[in-house]
Amino acid sequence: MNIRKFIPDIKRYMDDSMNPIFPDEVSHEGLIVPEIVLKYGSLFGKIRDLPAMAPYMVKCIFEMKKSYRGLKKQPDPGKTTISSSEISKLTSYIKDIGVSDIGFAKVSPSDIFKGKAILFDNAIVLAIEMKHEPISTAPSKKAGKEIFRTYLGLGQAVNKVADFLKNLGFKAEAGPALGGETNYPLLAEKAGIGVIGKHGLLITPKLGPSLRLAAVYTDIENLPVLNENPHLWVKDFCNKCNKCVRKCPAGAIYEDTKILTDSTEEHIDYKKCALPFSNDHGCTVCVKECVFFSSDYEKIKSSFIYK
């Protein structure tokens, strides 16, 4: 089965008059989780979890279509600078709709996946927490449902934020949580929300690795982008820890992160990851076993840096 037939394609909703931004020659292929599971996972696991996960998948695809249908509905002309009071209104609204963390980043063409495109190169990155209690039971059906609850919540949130910006007079594009156009962990790391750990997941002070990401793109030129990421020490910690490497049931996490020819990093063998992911309700053991899931970020930092 070709799962891409069922996933909306942003290019069907774009035309040349929109002046889309395309990936460059070093951009990577975007991996769609359901596609990986279908190709490399187990048939039994797919069938067993279908009744629980299908409603979330259907709603996620609905929100994705809503995002793409909104591409042409832009204020004309739109404002390209935002006031401090409007930033305050925006961040307050984002938190009010259940988003756990926010950051701002500039999107490079290399951040855009091959075969994809976006309209604007400034990103508002959103993170929503996967709740601690269900994720602590991973691998389990409860944890699997929490993963997809978070995907759906983000899909709804990006559409609300895009509409909020448009009502303020700004152009905006909602980036879907599931099957998006850009590398969300890289954008979140650029935005200073956190740092990508050994397992390839974003680690943040507020949420550890227990989160999912999405983004809203805009042409606002003066978003409060950070110049430095204060969390880079985490990478050194991960290189000494390696707990996720030891605990991964598939042995899918590289102990020595691969550095590709374009200087980007590859953290996991996704083909190996697909089997426990499909067999065990989305697995998520790498999240549960991460030291930053069960321990306080500042305590880890103090003991590691100031020991």
Side-chain angles (χ1 to χ4, degrees):
M1 180 191 298
N2 184 3
I3 193 69
R4 290 180 184 256
K5 291 182 180 179
F6 301 96
I7 304 294
D9 186 344
I10 192 171
K11 288 188 174 179
R12 296 175 190 163
Y13 297 81
M14 285 182 168
D15 58 54
D16 292 339
S17 68
M18 296 179 176
N19 296 315
I21 303 165
F22 296 103
D24 63 18
E25 65 277 0
V26 299
S27 293
H28 292 201
E29 191 78 32
L31 301 175
I32 301 174
V33 171
E35 181 179 39
I36 295 170
V37 170
L38 282 172
K39 280 186 177 180
Y40 306 108
S42 89
L43 181 62
F44 170 74
K46 300 166 203 166
I47 294 172
R48 182 188 58 186
D49 283 348
L50 190 61
M53 305 308 171
Y56 288 104
M57 283 289 296
V58 170
K59 291 176 183 177
C60 283
I61 290 172
F62 171 81
E63 293 297 333
M64 188 184 296
K65 287 182 177 180
K66 186 176 179 180
S67 298
Y68 293 162
R69 285 196 295 265
L71 292 177
K72 293 183 179 181
K73 301 173 183 177
Q74 304 288 351
D76 186 21
K79 299 187 293 183
T80 58
T81 58
I82 191 166
S83 68
S84 57
S85 64
E86 287 171 325
I87 281 285
S88 295
K89 288 179 183 177
L90 173 64
T91 53
S92 293
Y93 176 75
I94 290 173
K95 290 176 181 177
D96 286 345
I97 61 173
V99 174
S100 308
D101 213 345
I102 313 158
F104 305 91
K106 192 76 174 179
V107 185
S108 300
S110 60
D111 299 326
I112 306 170
F113 291 128
K114 286 182 179 178
K116 300 289 187 177
I118 59 174
L119 296 185
F120 314 112
D121 63 355
N122 300 295
I124 302 166
V125 186
L126 311 181
I128 287 185
E129 179 185 16
M130 296 191 297
K131 300 297 184 184
H132 193 278
E133 192 278 326
I135 296 301
S136 67
T137 68
S140 68
K141 187 176 288 187
K142 182 187 288 189
K145 289 181 73 173
E146 177 63 8
I147 294 168
F148 277 93
R149 180 201 69 80
T150 312
Y151 275 132
L152 177 57
L154 275 167
Q156 295 167 336
V158 291
N159 284 327
K160 290 176 181 178
V161 173
D163 287 343
F164 184 85
L165 284 169
K166 290 174 185 178
N167 288 334
L168 289 177
F170 300 102
K171 295 182 179 181
E173 170 192 349
L178 196 62
E181 281 65 54
T182 61
N183 187 321
Y184 291 145
L186 277 180
L187 287 186
E189 188 171 272
K190 280 186 176 184
I193 294 175
V195 162
I196 298 170
K198 177 67 69 76
H199 39 40
L201 304 170
L202 192 77
I203 296 170
T204 80
K206 294 181 180 180
L207 309 174
S210 192
L211 58 95
R212 285 291 182 266
L213 297 162
V216 175
Y217 311 104
T218 179
D219 62 352
I220 298 172
E221 298 169 348
N222 63 326
L223 291 176
V225 176
L226 291 180
N227 294 320
E228 293 183 8
N229 187 319
H231 313 298
L232 293 177
W233 68 270
V234 172
K235 291 183 180 289
D236 292 329
F237 176 88
C238 286
N239 285 330
K240 292 183 179 295
C241 175
N242 288 310
K243 185 181 178 185
C244 61
V245 177
R246 297 191 301 272
K247 294 291 186 177
C248 176
I253 302 170
Y254 300 127
E255 183 170 354
D256 296 315
T257 300
K258 291 187 176 182
I259 307 300
L260 305 180
T261 54
D262 60 359
S263 298
T264 58
E265 298 178 344
E266 183 176 286
H267 296 266
I268 68 167
D269 183 332
Y270 64 85
K271 293 179 183 179
K272 289 183 179 180
C273 176
L275 196 57
F277 190 95
S278 61
N279 274 341
D280 296 320
H281 315 289
C283 188
T284 319
V285 167
C286 56
V287 175
K288 183 182 80 171
E289 294 293 344
C290 180
V291 173
F292 289 94
F293 177 76
S294 55
S295 302
D296 180 80
Y297 176 93
E298 292 300 333
K299 288 182 180 179
I300 298 171
K301 182 179 179 180
S302 296
S303 63
F304 181 69
I305 294 180
Y306 307 116
K307 63 182 179 180

